């Protein structure tokens, strides 16, 4: 009898330990209620896992095709603009799905989703920028092109429209982050914020058009990320120095540039609210990259980031922010910091794997608590 009781006690005990650990783990709890079968990603370098480096000779020469990019993941470049993994990789892992393969990589599995994001891409067509005297790379693969790829992919994936819809109903679709480059190209080519602000409705429209397109194909769970607080990013801090200390906030970020990012984000949030009314059966989530980044920056010392390097690139050289556009990470002779795990910024434009991991944890909590799984 005693041994039976002991046995029962052990079972109960392990049951409680188990349920206690699952209760605190959003990943596991969510996996039971929300069995996504695939992820589709549209976007730019924040989520490109290898499309740009496969896009012609120019792409193959891009920084993301060289070490030290990728050194923390496969010890070789994968096309990700970081030392290792990106947020979308961590999100796929949390949902117990394989990492997404890039659309342009042939002969790799694509049945659990595809990544269409291309580094450097804009939300708007290249013609929009040409008309305004702004140069965009020839490799630019705007949302309209990524959507063409998506439609081509669906043609191969499913036989009938109904079949496609069924698959997309069990998919999580990320439209973005996208739009950051639409502004980057303009800012770094000398356009004034007054003019760039007029692009915002166009960028947001292109983004919501893409959301409507994927909804039209059958998606019912769409995540739309906003822009980063660009005033905290070394490339912006280096390019727009300000001698007035009041131009910087308590986190040493440029206030006006962050204000511009919030302007875009607020516009996007309002547009998404309208989409929710138009498509009440679809869960449309705004992913707050702005808040996620600031949350990591504020908690940086507790998360193990080096307090003296919070706005300095890990891989880079020169200036106050360890960033020089003419000698970027990947160039011969440009050093890499000794402990990338203690840096938020990787190359002055993109973040380290460690920063992306923390951001994705913050975001997953947000996303999974709001996404309703009913099947
Ligand atoms: C949650 O579970 C995942 C997968 O098993 C694990 O990698 C992660 O560390 C866990 N997180 C917490 C907070 O326990
Ligand atoms: C962008 O270009 C694509 C293909 O070239 C075209 O179908 C689409 O209408 C264009 N979109 C806009 C907003 O101009």
């Amino acid at each position: 009898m005693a041994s039976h009781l002991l046995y029962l006690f052990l079972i109960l005990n392990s049951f409680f330990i188990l349920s206690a650990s699952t209760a605190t783990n959003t990943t596991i709890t969510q996996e039971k209620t929300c069995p996504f079968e695939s992820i589709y990603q549209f976007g730019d370098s924040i989520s490109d896992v290898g499309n740009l480096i496969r896009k012609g000779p120019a792409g193959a020469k891009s920084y993301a095709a060289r070490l030290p990019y990728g050194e923390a993941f496969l010890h070789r470049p994968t096309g990700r603009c970081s030392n290792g993994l990106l947020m979308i990789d961590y999100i796929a892992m949390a949902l117990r799905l394989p990492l997404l393969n890039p659309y342009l990589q042939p002969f790799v599995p694509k049945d659990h989703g595809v990544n269409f994001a291309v580094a450097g891409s804009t939300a708007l067509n290249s013609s929009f920028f040409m008309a305004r005297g702004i140069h965009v790379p020839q490799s630019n693969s705007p949302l309209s092109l990524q959507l063409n790829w998506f439609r081509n992919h669906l043609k191969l994936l499913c036989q009938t429209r109904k079949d496609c819809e069924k698959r997309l109903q069990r998919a999580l679709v990320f439209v973005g982050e996208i739009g950051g480059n639409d502004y980057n190209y303009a800012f770094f080519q000398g356009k004034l914020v007054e003019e760039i602000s007029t692009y915002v409705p166009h960028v947001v429209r292109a983004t919501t058009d893409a959301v409507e397109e994927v909804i039209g194909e059958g998606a019912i769970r769409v995540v739309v990320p906003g822009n980063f607080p660009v005033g905290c990013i070394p490339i912006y801090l280096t390019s727009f120095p300000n001698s007035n200390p009041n131009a910087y906030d308590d986190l040493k970020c440029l206030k006006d540039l962050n204000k511009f990012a919030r302007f875009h984000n607020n516009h996007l949030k309002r547009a998404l609210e309208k989409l929710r009314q138009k498509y009440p059966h679809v869960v449309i989530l705004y992913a707050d990259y702005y808040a996620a980044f600031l949350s990591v920056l504020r908690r940086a010392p507790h998360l193990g980031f080096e307090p003296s390097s919070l706005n300095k690139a890990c891989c880079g050289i020169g200036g106050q922010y360890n960033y020089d556009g003419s000698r970027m990470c990947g160039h011969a002779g440009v050093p890499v910091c000794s402990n990338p795990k203690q840096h938020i910024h990787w190359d002055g434009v993109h973040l380290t794997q460690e920063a992306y991991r923390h951001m994705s944890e913050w975001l997953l909590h947000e996303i999974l608590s709001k996404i309703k799984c009913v099947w």
Side-chain angles (χ1 to χ4, degrees), residues 97-131:
L97 288 170
L99 301 190
L100 299 185
N101 282 312
Y103 177 73
L104 295 181
Q105 184 174 7
F107 317 119
V108 290
K110 298 198 174 88
D111 45 343
H112 287 291
V114 189
N115 192 321
F116 301 104
V118 185
S121 292
T122 54
L124 292 163
N125 283 352
S126 297
S127 55
F128 179 90
F129 302 98
M130 284 179 207

Side-chain angles (χ1 to χ4, degrees), residues 78-97:
T78 62
R80 287 170 176 80
C81 292
S82 180
N83 60 325
L85 297 172
L86 307 179
M87 286 186 273
I88 190 61
D89 295 314
Y90 288 109
I91 289 168
M93 286 191 268
L95 298 176
R96 305 289 169 92
L97 288 170

